[in-house]
């Protein structure tokens, strides 16, 4: 019961602090000068937004996908002691086959080739 009371007190204090911060904060008005990039007090000579390489974005997304799948493999390693070895091997092989099929698909589509 004391944990519930402490949780409610902490929740109320944080809520009150957030409300006070939003009330007391300075209001900012955005205008053209504030939204433009600052370059030594002069107007910029070129656009501040440079084009982004789509190939780099695709490689980054592929890395994130495979990185998340690797983090899903780590708990499988830790559960080898408490599971049946046959079930463990079936799950691990199935998961690795899915990973390798995804890698083969990306390689076959040419997403891993870096084109200049």
């Amino acid at each position: 019961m004391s944990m519930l009371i402490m949780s409610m007190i902490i929740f109320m204090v944080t809520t009150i602090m957030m409300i006070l911060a939003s009330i007391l904060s300075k209001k900012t008005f955005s205008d053209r000068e504030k939204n433009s990039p600052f370059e030594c007090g002069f107007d910029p000579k070129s656009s501040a937004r440079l084009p982004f390489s789509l190939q780099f974005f695709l490689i980054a997304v592929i890395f994130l996908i495979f990185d998340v799948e690797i983090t899903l493999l780590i708990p499988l390693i830790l559960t080898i002691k408490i599971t049946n070895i046959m079930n463990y091997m079936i799950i691990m092989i199935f998961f690795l086959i899915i990973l390798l099929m995804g890698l083969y698909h990306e390689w076959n589509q040419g997403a891993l080739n870096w084109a200049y």
Side-chain angles (χ1 to χ4, degrees):
M1 192 63 157
S2 65
M3 290 293 284
L4 181 65
I5 293 171
M6 285 299 283
S7 298
M8 293 300 289
I9 290 172
I10 292 171
F11 178 75
M12 293 298 286
V13 168
T14 54
T15 305
I16 290 170
M17 290 187 68
M18 285 192 295
I19 291 171
L20 283 175
S22 66
I23 290 172
L24 298 176
S25 67
K26 290 198 272 183
K27 303 294 181 198
T28 58
F29 299 105
S30 62
D31 56 359
R32 187 169 101 64
E33 284 79 23
K34 285 186 180 180
N35 289 334
S36 66
F38 181 73
E39 191 172 315
C40 299
F42 300 103
D43 288 332
K45 295 180 181 178
S46 63
S47 175
R49 307 221 183 261
L50 298 175
F52 190 71
S53 172
L54 184 62
Q55 188 71 26
F56 176 75
F57 178 74
L58 288 175
I59 293 293
V61 168
I62 291 169
F63 171 75
L64 285 175
I65 290 170
F66 283 106
D67 193 42
V68 168
E69 290 175 356
I70 293 298
T71 59
L72 292 175
L73 279 174
I74 292 173
L76 283 177
I77 296 169
L78 298 175
T79 59
I80 195 168
K81 295 178 184 175
I82 60 173
T83 60
N84 184 2
I85 192 70
M86 192 63 173
N87 291 339
Y88 178 79
M89 292 304 281
I90 290 172
I91 292 171
M92 184 67 90
I93 289 172
F94 183 69
F95 194 76
L96 288 174
I97 286 173
I98 290 174
L99 270 176
L100 290 174
M101 284 174 40
L103 180 63
Y104 176 73
H105 177 70
E106 294 296 330
W107 186 19
N108 196 21
Q109 292 293 320
L112 299 178
N113 295 334
W114 193 266
Y116 291 104

